Amino acid sequence: MERDAAAKPLVMVVEDESALLTMLRYNLEKEGYRVCEAGDGEEALTILAERNPDLVVLDWMLPTMSGIEVCRQIRRKMRTRDLPVLMLTARGEESDKVRGLNTGADDYLTKPFTLPELLARIRALLRRARPTQAKGLLNYGDIVMDLAAHRVTRAGRQVHLGPTEFRLLRFFMQHPGSVFSREELLNAVWGPDIYVEPRTVDVHIRRLRKALNAATEADLIRTVRAAGYSLDAESAPA
Ligand code: CA
C-alpha cells in the first residue's frame, strides 16, 4: 500500500557504480522523490518483491545479471508488469536501443546524460504511467488485484472469484487492516439499497477464503468475534 500511503513517488535505482548511485539518490531526493537502491540485478528483484516502486532506473551493465534480464523479469511478473523502466547504458548504438526497448524498457538514456535530461524522462514516464495506476493495481501481501483486467493472483497463482467475492476483496484491499461489520460490508459491497441477510456476508467470506487460500497459505481474512471481518496479514499464522 506504499503508493497510497505516500504521495511522493518511489524510484528504485539499480546501478553498480556507487558514485553514480550516490549522485542519483541525492538529486532524486532533492527533486522530491523517495529512493530505494540496488547494486545488482538480484538485489533489485529482491527489493521488488518487497516494495512497490513507481519507477525503476535500471543500468544495462550490471554484474551477474544484466539490466536486460532484470527488465525481462519485471515484465514477466504480473505485479510489476506495468512498472515504468528507464534503462541507462553506456552504449549508444541504435541496435542496443532497439533491443532494450524490445525487452520492455519504456525509455532509454545513454551515458553520459545530464541531470535535467534524466529528470525530464522520469517525469514523463510517471505521467504516462498514471492512467494505468488510476485503473489500478491493488497489492496486499502476496495478493495482486488488477482492477482493469478483473484479475486476482496470489503468490503468482490465478485466483478465480465470483463477482461478489471480487467486490468484497477489492473493498478489503482498499482498506487493509480495518475491521468491518457485516452491515458495513453489505453497505459497501452490496449497496445500501439492497436487502440481504447479514448472514449472506458469511457465505461470501467463506467462498472468498476458499478461493484465496491454497492449502499451505495463511488465511489473510481475519474473523473478529462480534465485530466482523478484516484483511489482515499481521494476525495470520505464518
Ligand atoms: Ca554499470
Side-chain angles (χ1 to χ4, degrees), residues 7-81:
K8 288 181 176 181
L10 176 66
V11 175
M12 179 163 92
V13 182
V14 189
E15 170 61 72
D16 59 314
E17 293 162 48
S18 61
L20 185 53
L21 196 55
T22 306
M23 185 280 273
L24 289 173
R25 173 187 274 282
Y26 173 79
N27 285 289
L28 287 170
E29 283 176 347
K30 214 171 89 186
E31 281 299 301
Y33 298 108
R34 290 176 301 137
V35 177
C36 61
E37 45 185 48
D40 62 57
E42 289 186 16
E43 196 186 350
L45 295 176
T46 306
I47 292 173
L48 275 176
E50 295 163 357
R51 307 193 63 179
N52 283 322
D54 297 279
L55 180 139
V56 179
V57 176
L58 178 61
D59 187 28
W60 175 304
M61 299 293 283
L62 292 167
T64 66
M65 188 190 288
S66 73
I68 291 282
E69 183 50 33
V70 175
C71 194
R72 235 180 239 130
Q73 302 229 15
I74 287 174
R75 289 292 167 258
R76 215 176 282 147
K77 291 195 180 79
M78 164 100 182
R79 200 167 70 85
T80 53
R81 202 176 54 179

Side-chain angles (χ1 to χ4, degrees), residues 5 11 60 89 95 108 131 134 225:
V11 175
W60 175 304
T89 181
S95 64
Y108 187 97
R225 201 170 287 276

Side-chain angles (χ1 to χ4, degrees), residues 53 187 195 200 212 236:
N187 268 326
Y195 181 76
T200 307
L212 209 53

Side-chain angles (χ1 to χ4, degrees), residues 123-145:
R123 272 195 300 273
L125 281 178
L126 286 174
R127 247 196 326 269
R128 254 163 61 193
R130 212 161 291 144
T132 320
Q133 287 172 18
K135 275 188 280 171
L137 272 191
L138 295 174
N139 293 283
Y140 185 77
D142 52 2
I143 306 172
V144 180
M145 179 172 251

